[in-house]
Amino acid sequence: MGKKKEARYTILALIALAILVYFAQNNLDDYKLRILNISAIYVTLGVSLNLIFGFTGQFSLGHAGFMAIGAYVTTLLVLPPWYKEMIFIIKPLIWPFTIIQAPFLIALIISGIFAAGAALLIGLPVLRLKGDYLGIATLGFAEIIRIIANNIPQVTNGALGIKGIPEFTNLYWSVGVAIFTIYIVRGLISSSYGRALMAIRENEIAAEAIGVNLTYHKVMSFTLSAFFAGVAGGLFACLISTIDPKAFMFTMSYNILLVVVLGGMGSITGTVLAAFFYNFFLEYLRSVEAGFSIGPLTIPEIPGLRMVTFSILLLLVIIFRQQGLLGGWEFSWSRLINIIKKIFFHQRATEGGNG
Amino acid sequence: MEEKKELLFLDHITMKFGGLVAVNNFYLKLLPGELVGLIGPNGAGKTTVFNMITGIYTPTLNRIYFQGKDITGLRPDLIAKIGIARTFQNIRLMVNLSVLDNVMIGFHLHLQSNLTSAIFKLPGYMQEEKNIYHKSLELLKQVELEEFKMEKAGSLPYGQQRKLEIVRALATQPKLLLLDEPAAGMNPQETKELMDFILKIQKDFDLTILLIEHDMKVVMGICRRIIVMDYGITIAEGNPAEIQRNPEVIKAYLGVEANYA
Ligand SMILES: Nc1ncnc2c1ncn2[C@@H]1O[C@H](COP(=O)(O)OP(=O)(O)OP(=O)(O)O)[C@@H](O)[C@H]1O
Ligand SMILES: [Mg+2]
C-alpha cells in the first residue's frame, strides 16, 4: 500500500475518532469520561516514556517528577490571581504568580517547557556518563521535586495542595494532546534521528563509532520525553482539579513504566493499547477490591488487590514475554488489512507492511 | 619543514592498563591508498591500536595525527566524522534493526537537515532521506545483501553480518577504514570473496585500509606492507615475503602455536 493511501486512511480514522470523541464527550457520564481522560493522558505519558526508555534504551523513572512540574506550572498559570491569593494560607504566594494568568493552551506549553528544562539540567551531566545512571538519577530527581513541592508553600501551598483548579481537561484536550504526542514521537522515530536513537539502544559503542553523538541524541530524546510528561501533568491537574505533592509519588512513575512494559518497549501502538487496558482494568479491579456479592456468596474487601494484580502481571510479562504485548510491532493500515485478509479470507498476505 | 603527506601518523604511541603495557611505542605512517596488514599473536595489542585511533582509548603517551591534525583523544563520533571508520572484532551490529536500517544509520553523521525538518518530514529532509535510502540499497547490492534488507540484522549468518558491518562503515564515507579480523568465522569461499571485496572497495571508495587479520592467506594475499606486533611491540615490518622469512616473526608465532600444541 502506498504512502498516500496510508495517509488517507489515517485522516479518515482521525475524523471518525473526532466524531467518536464528540459523542463520548456529550453523552457519557462524568465517571466514564474521567476514565477515558485518564487513559488518554496515560497514552501521552506512556508514549513519551517509550521514547526515552523503549526507543533510546535509557531507563528513566522520573516521569512523576516531570508531571509534577507540569501540574504545578499549569495550575499556577490558569488560576486567577485573586483566587490564588485567597487559597495560599501557609505562606503568601510569591511574585510573579500573584499577577500572571494564562490560557490553558499557553499554560500547557509552558509546563512542557519547564519540564523539558528540568530534564536538560539532569540529562546533560548524567547522560554524558557511560552506563545506566539515568534510572537512579531520575528516581532521585522525582523524589526531590516532591520534597521541594512540600517545602515551598509560597509556590505550591505545601502539603495542603491546591484545590479548585478549573476542570479544563476534556476529551478534546486529552485525546488531542495524545494524538499530537504520537504524531511527534512517530515523526522522530521514523526519521534518521530516530534511527540514531535506536542505534544507541542497540549498541552504544557501535553507534558512536559510526558517528552518532551519544550525548546530544540521548539528551534530545530525554528532553522531548519530559516535555510531553510536563504537558500531561498539566492536563492531569485540570482533570482532577486538586493537586498536592502526594499525587506524584514513585507509584506514578511505576504505573507509567508498567504501561510501557506491558504494551511493548519500542511500540507506540502497544503503549496506546496498554494505557487504555491498564486504566479500564484498574477500574474493574477497584470494584472487586471494594468487595461484592454473587448471590449468597459475599467476597470481602481486598485492599491493595489492584497493585498486587498489576505487579504480578508485570512479572509474568517480564518472565514470559519480555518484548511486551506487541514487542516492536507497529500499527499500519496495510498490516491491519493483511491481518484481516488472513483471518477472514484465508488469503496469503501479499504485501509486507513497510509503513 | 618536511612536508607531511601521510594520512595517519601514530607517533610512538603507548597504552598502559594499570601495570600492563598493551601497546608500547607504536609507530606507523599510513600513506593515502595503502592497504597495510597488522598481525600478531593473541593479546599482542592490535585491537588496542584501533581503539586508540578511534578514540575509545586515549594513548597514555604521545599523539595521533590524521591528515596532519592532532586527533589524540577525540570523541569516537568525531573521529567517525573526520573520516575514520571501523569494524569490530566481535561484530557490533544493531541486531534488532533491519539490515537496511543498519546501513542507513551510517549516513546519519552527514545529515544536513535539522531535527524539526526530520520530525515534520519537510521536503529538504525527505530528499535527503531518499538519497540515503538509495545509497544504502546500492551498498547492500555490492555485498549481495539487498534481498535481506528487511530482515533483522541479527538473523543473518555470521559471514554476512561481517559484510554488513563493513558496509555500514562505508556508509559513513570514510577515508581510512580499520578492519578488525573481518575474515574471522568465515568459510574459505567467503574468505576468498571477502578478499576480492576489500580490494574492490579500496579502489571504488578510494580508501586507505588498516587490516587486522589472523588468516595469513588474507593478509599475505592483499597487503603489500605488513606490521607484526608481539607483546605490544612492533617486531617486524615489511612485504609479505620479508615477513614470512623473518626469524622474529617465526619465533613469535611458533611460540604461540607451541602453547596451543
Ligand atoms: N580495557 C582494557 N583493560 C585492561 N586490559 C586490556 C584492555 N584492553 C585490552 N587489554 C589487554 O591488552 C592486551 C592487548 O589486547 P588487544 O585486545 O589489543 O590484543 P589483540 O592483539 O587484539 O589480540 P586478539 O588477537 O586476541 O584480538 C591484552 O593483554 C588485553 O588483555
Ligand atoms: Mg583483537
Side-chain angles (χ1 to χ4, degrees):
Chain A
M1 184 177 330
K3 285 229 161 74
K4 282 230 176 72
K5 218 168 175 187
E6 285 269 342
R8 214 175 303 147
Y9 278 122
T10 303
I11 289 169
L12 283 177
L14 283 176
I15 292 170
L17 180 65
I19 295 169
L20 207 66
V21 163
Y22 173 82
F23 277 102
Q25 184 65 45
N26 288 301
N27 293 301
L28 295 180
D29 61 41
D30 278 355
Y31 172 70
K32 286 183 183 126
L33 278 177
R34 195 181 162 103
I35 298 169
L36 286 175
N37 273 306
I38 289 268
S39 301
I41 293 172
Y42 261 78
V43 168
T44 299
L45 290 166
V47 169
S48 63
L49 183 63
N50 215 338
L51 174 61
I52 183 68
F53 183 36
F55 288 104
T56 319
Q58 309 301 305
F59 190 48
S60 169
L61 283 169
H63 254 46
F66 299 121
M67 269 184 89
I69 292 175
Y72 277 106
V73 170
T74 294
T75 301
L76 288 169
L77 288 176
V78 295
L79 282 175
W82 64 264
Y83 181 79
K84 286 184 272 189
E85 295 216 34
M86 189 183 77
I87 61 161
F88 274 67
I89 41 181
I90 304 177
K91 275 199 179 147
L93 182 66
I94 56 165
W95 187 89
F97 305 110
T98 43
I99 51 162
I100 48 169
Q101 187 181 6
F104 191 37
L105 179 64
I106 306 289
L108 288 180
I109 293 170
I110 295 176
S111 296
I113 292 171
F114 269 77
L120 209 57
L121 285 180
I122 322 160
L124 272 179
V126 173
L127 289 170
R128 224 173 260 283
L129 307 171
K130 294 239 160 80
D132 288 332
Y133 297 104
L134 190 66
I136 297 166
T138 46
L139 183 64
F141 154 78
E143 263 320 277
I144 290 169
I145 289 293
R146 209 170 55 79
I147 291 164
I148 291 177
N150 247 324
N151 288 292
I152 46 165
Q154 56 273 51
V155 180
T156 62
N157 208 22
L160 282 182
I162 303 173
K163 294 179 182 64
I165 306 166
E167 294 176 31
F168 289 136
T169 302
N170 52 28
L171 279 182
Y172 305 124
W173 282 103
S174 59
V175 173
V177 168
I179 287 171
F180 179 70
T181 308
I182 292 170
Y183 174 72
I184 297 291
V185 172
R186 224 186 107 92
L188 172 60
I189 288 309
S190 63
S191 78
S192 185
Y193 290 91
R195 280 195 295 270
L197 297 182
M198 290 185 275
I200 293 173
R201 175 191 72 194
E202 293 288 308
N203 198 319
E204 227 175 88
I205 292 174
E208 198 176 25
I210 53 170
V212 175
N213 181 336
L214 298 182
T215 309
Y216 169 81
H217 285 89
K218 286 181 193 173
V219 171
M220 176 265 283
S221 167
F222 184 52
T223 308
L224 198 59
S225 169
F227 176 87
F228 290 117
V231 174
L235 287 174
F236 184 70
C238 291
L239 178 72
I240 61 174
S241 83
T242 302
I243 56 167
D244 64 66
K246 279 202 303 297
F248 305 101
M249 298 227 280
F250 170 69
T251 42
M252 191 79 212
S253 297
Y254 174 82
N255 295 343
I256 305 163
L257 191 67
L258 189 81
V259 163
V260 171
V261 175
L262 282 183
M265 305 232 296
S267 166
I268 295 173
T269 315
T271 302
V272 174
L273 295 179
F276 279 88
F277 167 78
Y278 171 78
N279 284 291
F280 282 44
F281 196 44
L282 197 69
E283 281 314 307
Y284 168 74
L285 288 177
R286 196 194 295 279
S287 61
V288 178
E289 197 176 77
F292 59 93
S293 20
I294 318 167
L297 195 70
T298 304
I299 308 289
E301 192 183 333
I302 320 165
L305 175 74
R306 285 178 298 157
M307 282 317 283
V308 172
T309 307
F310 276 107
S311 296
I312 291 173
L313 203 59
L314 184 65
L315 273 177
L316 289 176
V317 166
I318 289 169
I319 294 168
F320 294 109
R321 197 174 157 80
Q322 271 157 22
Q323 69 274 45
L325 210 58
L326 293 189
W329 194 85
E330 211 61 271
F331 174 84
S332 81
W333 293 106
S334 56
R335 280 175 210 151
L336 181 70
I337 289 168
N338 270 343
I339 291 171
I340 293 172
K341 271 187 195 160
K342 258 192 230 169
I343 296 173
F344 293 102
F345 304 103
H346 302 286
Q347 277 184 10
R348 273 193 58 217
T350 44
E351 281 173 298
N354 60 347
Chain B
M1 241 180 91
E2 183 195 0
E3 200 195 341
K4 278 183 187 148
K5 288 202 315 245
E6 73 274 356
L7 186 69
L8 180 75
F9 177 30
L10 308 181
D11 188 8
H12 301 280
I13 51 175
T14 291
M15 185 77 226
K16 292 181 193 166
F17 296 111
L20 176 85
V21 186
V23 173
N24 196 353
N25 214 24
F26 189 79
Y27 174 91
L28 171 69
K29 275 189 177 177
L30 268 185
L31 297 175
E34 270 196 299
L35 199 175
V36 174
L38 181 57
I39 64 172
N42 289 109
K46 307 177 296 291
T47 299
T48 305
V49 170
F50 275 21
N51 286 341
M52 284 190 283
I53 299 171
T54 54
I56 292 182
Y57 301 142
T58 305
T60 321
L61 277 180
N62 297 329
R63 315 209 63 85
I64 299 170
Y65 302 88
F66 183 69
Q67 298 184 303
K69 275 208 304 268
D70 187 346
I71 60 160
T72 321
L74 207 59
R75 238 174 36 219
D77 58 301
L78 297 175
I79 295 282
K81 228 170 199 154
I82 60 171
I84 302 178
R86 72 174 290 179
T87 63
F88 293 89
Q89 185 171 348
N90 46 342
I91 308 174
R92 287 181 180 276
L93 288 172
M94 288 76 190
V95 290
N96 292 310
L97 302 187
S98 72
V99 168
L100 180 63
D101 276 345
N102 267 273
V103 183
M104 289 178 80
I105 291 163
F107 286 96
H108 183 63
L109 78 171
H110 296 300
L111 192 79
Q112 299 290 314
S113 304
N114 61 25
L115 188 60
T116 325
S117 61
I119 291 176
F120 294 102
K121 305 282 184 286
L122 301 183
Y125 170 78
M126 288 314 276
Q127 190 55 49
E128 269 198 287
E129 174 82 11
K130 214 167 116 191
N131 290 342
I132 290 174
Y133 176 77
H134 288 298
K135 282 187 200 161
S136 300
L137 277 190
E138 203 48 53
L139 282 170
L140 283 176
K141 249 183 226 162
Q142 296 203 19
V143 282
E144 282 145 21
L145 286 177
E146 199 199 3
E147 57 178 311
F148 305 115
K149 63 176 194 275
M150 287 306 167
E151 308 276 317
K152 275 189 180 184
S155 71
L156 292 180
Y158 201 73
Q160 295 189 321
Q161 290 198 15
R162 287 237 174 254
K163 283 192 204 160
L164 178 58
E165 206 191 16
I166 297 177
V167 159
R168 183 182 67 186
L170 290 179
T172 67
Q173 292 150 41
K175 298 184 186 77
L176 171 65
L177 180 62
L178 311 173
L179 300 173
D180 199 342
E181 299 195 22
M186 285 189 176
N187 61 38
Q189 176 59 28
E190 285 177 320
T191 306
K192 176 83 191 51
E193 284 168 19
L194 178 78
M195 288 166 68
D196 294 338
F197 178 64
I198 292 175
L199 289 173
K200 179 173 152 31
I201 57 172
Q202 190 200 11
K203 205 155 82 219
D204 292 355
F205 294 88
D206 208 8
L207 290 173
T208 306
I209 297 177
L210 185 57
L211 170 78
I212 297 177
E213 187 49 68
H214 274 302
D215 188 332
M216 285 306 142
K217 273 202 301 296
V218 176
V219 186
M220 299 295 166
I222 62 177
C223 301
R224 293 253 177 81
R225 181 152 77 102
I226 295 167
I227 294 162
V228 190
M229 293 180 82
D230 195 15
Y231 294 111
I233 298 169
T234 306
I235 56 167
E237 185 178 346
N239 63 39
E242 287 164 351
I243 294 299
Q244 268 162 336
R245 57 170 184 263
N246 185 309
E248 290 276 339
V249 177
I250 293 166
K251 205 173 80 191
Y253 273 91
L254 281 183
V256 169
E257 271 161 32
N259 283 343
Y260 283 118

